Amino acid sequence: MDEDAERYAVIAAALAGHAPIADAVSALRSVPAGGPYRGALAAGLIDRFVADDQSQFVGHREPLEALIAIGDGDPPAGPSWPRTRALGRSTALTLAAMRYDLPDSASALDELDELAAAITDGDRVGRILLERARIAVSMYHAMTDGDDPFQSEAWQRFRKLADDGPPEVVALGEAIDISQALMSDPHTDLDARLERLREVAARLPESAARTMIESTADQIRQVIGGNLDAIPSSGGGGADALQMAASVIGPLSAEDATEDVLDRAVDRMRAALAASPDDPHQRIVHLTGLAVVLARRAEAINDIGDLPEAERLLVEAQGLLSGPQDRGWEIVHEGLSQVRQRMGVEQDSYLDAVVSLRTHVWRVLMQPDAAGAAAVAREAGDAAVSAARGCLRVHDVAGAVRALDAGRGLALYAATEMRSVPDLLRDAGRDDLAADWQRAIDADGPAPGLRRRVFGVLADIAPGGALFDPPEIDEIRDALSELDLDGLVYLVPSSDVWPGLAVTVPAEGELSYLGLPGLKPADSPEVAAYLDAASRRDSAAVGRGEARDLVVLDDDLTDRLDIVRDWAWRAAMGPIIDTVLPTWTHVPTRRVPRMALVPMGELALIPWQAACRAGGEPAIRSVAFSQAASARMLLRSAALPPVAPSRLGLIVADPETGTAAADLHGARDEASAIHDVLYRGARYLGRLPGDDGAVSPSGEGAPEQVRAWLTSTSRAAGTMLHLACHGVADPDGGSYLMLAGQRLAAEELVKLMTAVPERAVGLVVLAACSSGMAARDYDEAYSLGTAFLAGGARSVLSTQWTIPDSSTSLLMFMFHHHLMTGRLPVWEALHRAQLWMLDPDREVPESMPARLSAQLDDGDPADVTGWAGFLHGGR
């Protein structure tokens, strides 16, 4: 047999499954270019390679890449080559990811997007193979670059394809889920989870997939069980290094780890570091891993001798980080913080902790919607408070302010940044990305890959982490002066170990902080019960009684408010007013003192303006309050030019909700009164006063009418929006307004308003229940009220609870009376209206319609539920 015949015989045997593909590749490579059927044979071998057990080729993708090169050089005739090439190339990327040998995972993901064009929608096997490659590359990408949305998006697509797909694919998906759960929580239900993994494998016939799952279960038991000898300490490449590092997870996390076990773990981590490749992402993993093990041993044996080396390792890892987008950013900086704190270098240690918070902003910016952003940011609040307490231990108040603001309102910040991105990109000379971003914003929103590229560029050009950091103290002071505020106060609740805090930034003067040991709601059963009742919101409930929500405050909640007000004074507001306020610069002849509050966590539910000294007056008598989601958002309000009050605008009164909620007769009277007396030029939507439920000739108050007004650039539209309707803050459904039986969500409000930057809305009044409450996470502060502020409204009034229908009408009329007749600023108009409600000798304006003034005889306007629920934000 001549050489050519022998070569083709080997190739034919491999195509038939009777010879190793590697031998066939060698034979084909020796066939001269242009040889008979060279390209077609390469395509056939690629198909065979893709269909065969690929686990044997992990780390040896060279034969496959050689076949692709042969096919590219001598493309086979017929339409199937693009598909074959796409599946071959995606398989090569899969093998590289499994071997942790993928230098540029972001480019690999882009390539997979391009390869997808060669796979038709009806080609289910091809789609599954492509998505399998995407999930493998995405997992590697997430591990090295911290790009969690890629992993999530790819995994969802893969599972959707696999739901009715081959059993091997379904089982592999379940196995990955179980394995990830084990690695993230290694000591919970270990045996049960491993047994479940074996059950998944047992559903399969004898195959490579079954063998892989079974070996995965054995390896996890060895790794988590602390068998440090189960994985060899020498070998080649990143996979071996990562396996060696993984082998110390069990003993390192075990509370009873002995000194001998920790010594061996240190040795294993040194070996992993020595075996790690030049790839910076992997080196960061191994540098950090060794540092963590050294710190763990130092803690266990109470000897700090290992800590200097741990610090050096973390500093080296820090130098390899490209920015907060790196997955290792937080763990490296938190590690430095803990090591330096234990070494006694406290000042540097808490600066490291503050810098570590930047990664939360990056992760939030990567999310496709507000719900995802809030979920990712959930950890930010606790991390920020912890870093702030550390800063205050060394009396670094500026650092504490920076830390606290870094954990507040991140979803809002992300929402506001979306629209400024094109201008920032154009300023950076990236018109191409700016155009891509604008097209995505105008369509379904930026995909994760585009987000990563864009914010990666912006991170590189932003000086000193400006994209990720909260504002500097001088910037906050300038904003306070612009907004005519005397100071900003962060309220931090007590924990089981630490006292509560008031951290203050005055417009002029020194930063300060005040310990508030009583600022722990859980210590007061009545306050805890109030918070529990105030936070229980159910969008499915049917409205009962006269309240502007789908849920009415239970009878006990109103009774508890007196106890809550007393507690709020003792726990925080009394000490702040008596101790902090006198240190602020203030001109008493011009106006009352003003403070902006940023309450952390569930403290956002407390009516601080109603805090009352025992037997005395409420806090609002001494101070005017505004509330801010964060200093970032306060700066946004200050940066927007003021909008003069206008008698033109939109008033929406009690739109029809069917049986979803109670009718709001007081809201109709309120809206009609302010329209007829103060805003004759405004458009009136919704229902008219009276029991017949007649609808305004201008419209029923549907969401599309409000959308049209918010995006109108006509001067005739006006600048004032008053919404007297039902509002909902539902942890499951988010925050939304109910308008003519439909929902208008907070997230949509931001998008609507930022879509037309030239639209100037001066005032939004949300005379709707719970419009100032965050639906999901209080530290996110993503409410209907803050959504309007994020969208560019200059001033917003929103509510803290389920407001009563009738007394709200009185308060709202007096607010608009002071605003339009007295020409007072928005904050002062609200303050005066609330004081009017409290005044037993109040004077009723002649302009107040009789149907409103008659309500003064029907109830007590001074009742706290009627006046204290409204919050001011913005200008």
Side-chain angles (χ1 to χ4, degrees):
M1 182 183 295
D2 62 22
E3 290 186 6
D4 284 346
E6 186 175 345
R7 292 188 189 104
Y8 284 109
V10 171
I11 295 170
L15 287 172
H18 302 311
I21 290 179
D23 293 347
V25 173
S26 297
L28 185 60
R29 293 177 76 172
S30 65
V31 173
Y37 306 110
R38 192 167 184 262
L41 291 172
L45 288 172
I46 291 172
D47 288 337
R48 184 73 196 179
F49 193 111
V50 169
D52 272 358
D53 173 13
Q54 297 163 20
S55 63
Q56 61 183 304
F57 299 113
V58 172
H60 303 285
R61 67 181 187 277
E62 292 84 1
L64 182 55
E65 292 176 338
L67 291 172
I68 294 171
I70 292 171
D72 285 340
D74 185 11
S80 62
W81 170 242
R83 176 187 185 274
T84 295
R85 187 190 187 285
L87 295 183
R89 185 62 190 147
S90 63
T91 299
L93 293 173
T94 301
L95 298 177
M98 292 173 69
R99 183 62 182 174
Y100 305 101
D101 184 19
L102 201 58
D104 189 348
S105 53
S107 295
L109 286 165
D110 290 339
E111 182 180 355
L112 286 169
D113 287 339
E114 295 170 1
L115 294 173
I119 311 298
T120 64
D121 291 340
D123 182 359
R124 186 172 184 81
V125 172
R127 302 302 299 181
I128 287 175
L129 289 171
L130 185 73
E131 293 303 326
R132 181 180 63 183
R134 200 190 306 271
I135 194 68
V137 175
S138 297
M139 287 180 174
Y140 178 83
H141 188 76
M143 182 188 71
T144 57
D145 285 1
D147 201 359
D148 291 337
F150 270 104
Q151 182 175 352
S152 175
E153 180 187 29
W155 178 239
Q156 288 174 5
R157 287 193 299 198
F158 181 75
R159 291 302 293 267
K160 184 177 180 180
L161 283 168
D163 282 345
D164 300 318
E168 291 85 353
V169 177
V170 178
L172 182 61
E174 292 183 39
I176 291 173
D177 283 344
I178 298 169
S179 300
Q180 287 179 325
L182 280 165
M183 297 307 288
S184 63
D185 185 11
H187 293 289
T188 300
D189 297 331
L190 174 61
D191 291 335
R193 287 174 172 177
L194 290 175
E195 182 60 30
R196 174 63 182 150
L197 207 55
R198 292 190 183 91
E199 289 174 3
V200 170
R203 297 206 312 262
L204 300 175
E206 291 295 335
S207 64
R210 177 170 179 169
T211 301
M212 184 182 298
I213 293 172
E214 289 173 341
S215 64
T216 297
D218 292 338
Q219 189 176 72
I220 288 174
R221 178 176 291 283
Q222 292 168 350
V223 167
I224 296 177
N227 184 358
L228 295 177
D229 298 321
I231 299 172
S233 59
S234 63
D240 288 344
L242 286 170
Q243 286 179 325
M244 284 187 281
S247 69
V248 307
I249 292 175
L252 183 65
S253 58
E255 294 183 3
D256 57 351
T258 64
E259 183 176 351
D260 177 64
V261 168
L262 291 172
D263 287 344
R264 295 172 66 207
V266 169
D267 292 341
R268 179 52 56 93
M269 287 307 303
R270 290 194 193 282
L273 179 59
S276 67
D278 293 335
D279 175 67
H281 298 298
Q282 278 215 46
R283 186 154 183 84
I284 289 168
V285 169
H286 298 301
L287 287 167
T288 305
L290 179 54
V292 169
V293 176
L294 288 168
R296 175 75 171 86
R297 183 169 71 176
E299 179 184 24
I301 66 176
N302 197 27
D303 184 344
I304 66 171
D306 284 330
L307 296 183
E309 181 185 1
E311 183 187 26
R312 288 194 300 272
L313 293 165
L314 289 167
V315 168
E316 182 183 345
Q318 185 183 41
L320 295 173
L321 295 168
S322 59
Q325 62 268 39
D326 277 351
R327 190 174 183 85
W329 180 273
E330 185 173 20
I331 191 170
V332 168
H333 286 92
E334 283 191 349
L336 274 172
S337 176
Q338 294 168 10
V339 167
R340 286 172 171 168
Q341 182 181 350
R342 188 166 173 79
M343 293 170 66
V345 191
E346 290 194 328
Q347 186 72 41
D348 288 345
S349 74
Y350 294 116
L351 289 177
D352 291 323
V354 173
V355 170
S356 75
L357 297 171
R358 291 178 181 173
T359 194
H360 293 289
V361 181
W362 171 267
R363 293 177 63 207
V364 166
L365 290 171
M366 288 298 101
Q367 301 307 307
D369 54 38
V376 169
R378 193 163 291 142
E379 302 171 3
D382 290 341
V385 169
S386 177
R389 292 188 188 281
C391 290
L392 293 180
R393 285 185 59 184
V394 292
H395 307 292
D396 179 5
V397 187
V401 170
R402 187 180 175 194
L404 290 172
D405 213 67
R408 285 282 300 186
L410 298 185
L412 275 173
Y413 174 64
T416 59
E417 285 299 297
M418 293 298 106
R419 287 290 163 182
S420 62
V421 164
D423 290 338
L424 294 172
L425 289 170
R426 283 188 283 268
D427 291 343
R430 294 301 305 269
D431 291 359
D432 56 334
L433 277 181
D436 289 346
W437 184 267
Q438 191 61 59
R439 281 193 294 270
I441 286 288
D442 294 338
D444 298 328
L450 179 59
R451 285 174 183 268
R452 182 173 184 81
R453 289 196 299 276
V454 163
F455 285 108
V457 169
L458 296 181
D460 289 340
I461 65 174
L467 179 66
F468 306 103
D469 288 344
E472 300 293 337
I473 298 300
D474 287 346
E475 294 177 295
I476 298 175
R477 292 187 195 276
D478 290 344
L480 292 172
S481 297
E482 172 65 25
L483 298 174
D484 197 24
L485 283 157
D486 295 314
L488 176 71
V489 179
Y490 295 89
L491 289 176
V492 182
S494 300
S495 69
D496 292 335
V497 178
W498 300 102
L501 293 167
V503 182
T504 67
V505 182
E508 298 180 26
E510 297 295 323
L511 305 180
S512 66
Y513 66 97
L514 181 67
L516 300 171
L519 195 55
K520 189 176 182 184
D523 285 348
S524 169
E526 292 83 1
V527 176
Y530 161 81
L531 292 174
D532 178 65
S535 62
R536 275 190 273 113
R537 305 179 293 280
D538 180 5
S539 64
V542 176
R544 299 177 294 276
E546 291 189 352
R548 298 186 188 182
D549 203 347
L550 303 185
V551 180
V552 176
L553 298 179
D554 59 59
D555 295 335
D556 292 336
L557 186 56
T558 303
D559 296 336
R560 293 188 189 110
L561 272 172
D562 285 339
I563 297 173
V564 172
R565 296 172 67 192
D566 176 68
W567 175 87
W569 181 273
R570 289 183 289 104
M573 204 47 60
I576 291 171
I577 289 176
D578 293 341
T579 305
V580 177
L581 204 58
T583 68
W584 291 359
T585 301
H586 171 63
V587 183
T589 56
R590 189 169 67 86
R591 59 162 174 74
V592 295
R594 287 191 65 208
M595 72 169 64
L597 287 177
V598 183
M600 306 293 286
E602 62 184 356
L603 296 182
L605 296 175
I606 299 293
W608 299 105
Q609 62 275 18
C612 192
R613 193 191 305 268
E617 296 289 342
I620 198 172
R621 293 282 193 191
S622 306
V623 189
F625 294 89
S626 294
Q627 196 144 307
S630 64
R632 275 193 183 104
M633 299 309 297
L634 199 70
L635 261 69
R636 175 172 173 77
S637 293
L640 295 171
V643 174
S646 167
R647 295 188 184 274
L648 301 177
L650 180 67
I651 298 171
V652 180
D654 188 27
E656 174 67 51
T657 64
T659 60
D663 291 343
L664 303 174
H665 294 279
R668 302 177 203 175
D669 291 341
E670 161 195 319
S672 176
I674 64 173
H675 175 269
D676 294 347
V677 176
L678 299 164
Y679 297 97
R680 292 289 298 172
R683 186 182 181 191
Y684 184 104
L685 300 175
R687 289 187 279 189
L688 300 169
D691 295 331
D692 59 357
V695 174
S696 166
S698 296
E700 61 178 344
E704 59 266 23
Q705 294 172 313
V706 177
R707 293 186 188 106
W709 184 87
L710 288 171
T711 55
S712 173
T713 55
S714 169
R715 294 185 62 182
T719 62
M720 189 280 300
L721 174 63
H722 184 101
L723 294 163
C725 58
H726 286 287
V728 179
D730 176 25
D732 297 320
S735 295
Y736 57 88
L737 294 164
M738 286 199 68
L739 300 172
Q742 301 174 58
R743 297 182 180 186
L744 185 56
E747 293 83 358
E748 184 182 353
L749 291 169
V750 179
K751 293 178 182 178
L752 283 169
M753 298 181 69
T754 54
V756 188
E758 63 271 26
R759 175 67 162 117
V761 177
L763 171 64
V764 176
V765 179
L766 291 165
C769 289
S770 306
S771 55
M773 293 177 65
R776 296 183 176 93
D777 297 281
Y778 299 123
D779 283 329
E780 268 315 292
Y782 208 132
S783 66
L784 287 163
T786 57
F788 274 107
L789 288 171
R794 286 6 180 217
S795 300
V796 174
L797 301 190
S798 57
T799 59
Q800 209 167 9
W801 54 57
T802 307
I803 52 176
D805 193 30
S806 57
S807 54
T808 294
S809 301
L810 290 168
L811 179 69
M812 288 293 92
F813 182 87
M814 291 307 300
F815 160 73
H816 284 287
H817 168 77
H818 287 304
L819 182 71
M820 300 305 295
T821 303
R823 295 293 175 181
L824 298 177
V826 174
W827 70 265
E828 190 169 2
L830 176 63
H831 188 246
R832 292 280 188 92
Q834 289 173 320
L835 293 178
W836 182 89
M837 297 284 283
L838 288 166
D839 186 359
D841 300 321
R842 66 185 70 84
E843 295 185 8
V844 179
E846 293 182 2
S847 60
M848 181 182 286
R851 62 180 178 274
L852 287 188
S853 59
Q855 295 178 11
L856 290 168
D857 299 326
D858 296 336
D860 181 9
D863 185 271
V864 66
T865 61
W867 64 266
F870 276 84
L871 305 169
H872 166 263
R875 286 191 168 272

